Amino acid sequence: MSGLMDQSPAQAIPQHVAIIMDGNGRWAASRGLPRVVGHREGAKAVRRSIEAAIGQGVKYLTLFAFSSENWQRPADEVSDLRGLLLQYLRSELKEMHEAGVRLKVIGEHSRFGPNIVAELGAAEAKTANNARLTLVLALSYGGRADILAAAKRAIEEGVPAEALTEHKFASLLATAGIPDPDLVIRTSGEQRLSNFLLWQAAYAELVFLDVLWPDFNEQDFAGAVKTFGARVRRFGARPE
Ligand code: IPE
Ligand code: IPE
Ligand code: MG
């Protein structure tokens, strides 16, 4: 029997999902493997999450790949991450482009050196007109640094105090032109933002998953989207 009764309510799909990809080190340690193996497996989860985002009809996916605080890690781990980033870009760019993914980098990624800047710049240029999914890669990103840089830009531009609205300020952030995240997912069981998108995530729904990032898959993504769909967003107002 079919009819109105059988139809489930329209599922709210977040326009922008942001993910704090955490737990690579613990994934490796639990197997007695070096951390770099966890990061390498984590790269496969990046691919799965891009596919899942496209499959769910999400328009913006932001991935926290390296924080401004991650520079405090040992040089060999930073170097491994840098190498994996280049490797990922070289092996995945063509397919991402064909799938309609537009790449956008935020953060002080120039700290990774001129090769990274050149390759990421070329990837951004190549994919600039794609419209299926915008993939925002947060690399050497920190929310406080982002806000501070925006404040400095406002001063440099000579923005009068009365013209510095929230809308104007947002246009000075690294995420200018990108809608705020609706859903922030963090894997690995940690329940904190770790300096991710502090301004932008003001009203994001937060979902913390116990899965370690290298194990993250399409089902986990779909589950988080479902959890999001069941949340009631009030934005401080009082609905009927
Ligand atoms: C996330 O995994 C990757 C980065 C932060 C670069 P971690 O490396 O933080 O893994 P854990 O948290 O130590 O398990
Ligand atoms: C947050 O993870 C940064 C990224 C996932 C890139 P961390 O592992 O660096 O965060 P903390 O140190 O546990 O807060
Ligand atoms: Mg971690």
Side-chain angles (χ1 to χ4, degrees):
M1 196 180 90
S2 71
L4 281 175
M5 301 284 284
D6 299 332
Q7 290 171 9
S8 50
Q11 173 86 56
I13 298 294
Q15 185 185 23
H16 183 175
V17 176
I19 309 182
I20 302 171
M21 311 184 288
D22 197 19
N24 296 352
R26 277 163 281 173
W27 184 93
S30 72
R31 289 164 174 75
L33 298 167
R35 293 179 65 85
V36 64
V37 182
H39 294 313
R40 201 175 295 141
E41 282 301 309
K44 297 180 190 167
V46 168
R47 191 193 156 98
R48 290 194 291 272
S49 63
I50 295 169
E51 286 170 353
I54 291 174
Q56 295 274 326
V58 167
K59 298 306 289 180
Y60 297 84
L61 175 68
T62 297
L63 298 177
F64 200 10
F66 195 93
S67 75
S68 48
E69 288 70 38
N70 287 148
W71 290 106
Q72 298 171 71
R73 295 196 180 188
D76 62 337
E77 183 170 357
V78 172
S79 164
D80 286 340
L81 287 165
R82 187 184 171 283
L84 281 169
L85 171 67
L86 276 177
Q87 203 179 308
Y88 188 86
L89 208 59
R90 287 169 187 165
S91 67
E92 301 285 320
L93 180 60
K94 186 170 177 282
E95 253 189 87
M96 284 202 293
H97 183 48
E98 284 165 5
V101 176
R102 171 172 74 130
L103 182 71
K104 159 107 183 115
V105 183
I106 59 170
E108 291 174 56
H109 66 287
S110 59
R111 290 181 69 178
F112 283 103
N115 281 355
I116 294 261
V117 173
E119 295 215 19
L120 285 172
E124 283 180 322
K126 183 185 167 87
T127 61
N129 294 320
N130 292 340
R132 194 137 180 226
L133 172 76
T134 297
L135 174 65
V136 182
L137 210 53
L139 269 181
S140 189
Y141 178 85
R144 287 185 172 181
D146 193 4
I147 292 167
L148 195 56
K152 287 180 179 170
R153 249 173 249 137
I155 293 167
E156 283 161 10
E157 285 182 18
V159 181
E162 63 275 15
L164 192 54
T165 59
E166 289 189 7
H167 182 78
K168 173 64 186 170
F169 197 81
S171 78
L172 300 170
L173 292 166
T175 48
I178 297 164
D180 285 342
D182 303 292
L183 167 62
V184 172
I185 301 169
R186 182 171 188 148
T187 58
S188 90
E190 305 296 352
Q191 303 195 356
R192 54 176 170 262
L193 287 176
S194 300
N195 201 14
F196 188 43
L197 299 176
L198 297 181
W199 171 285
Q200 297 87 339
Y203 259 105
E205 293 297 327
L206 309 179
V207 170
F208 299 104
L209 301 178
D210 279 329
V211 61
L212 299 172
W213 179 249
D215 291 325
F216 184 84
N217 61 27
E218 285 86 348
Q219 286 74 32
D220 297 313
F221 192 99
V225 166
K226 198 166 177 226
T227 300
F228 171 86
R231 298 266 179 94
V232 179
R233 303 181 84 186
R234 282 186 283 273
F235 300 99
R238 211 186 65 184
E240 303 290 289

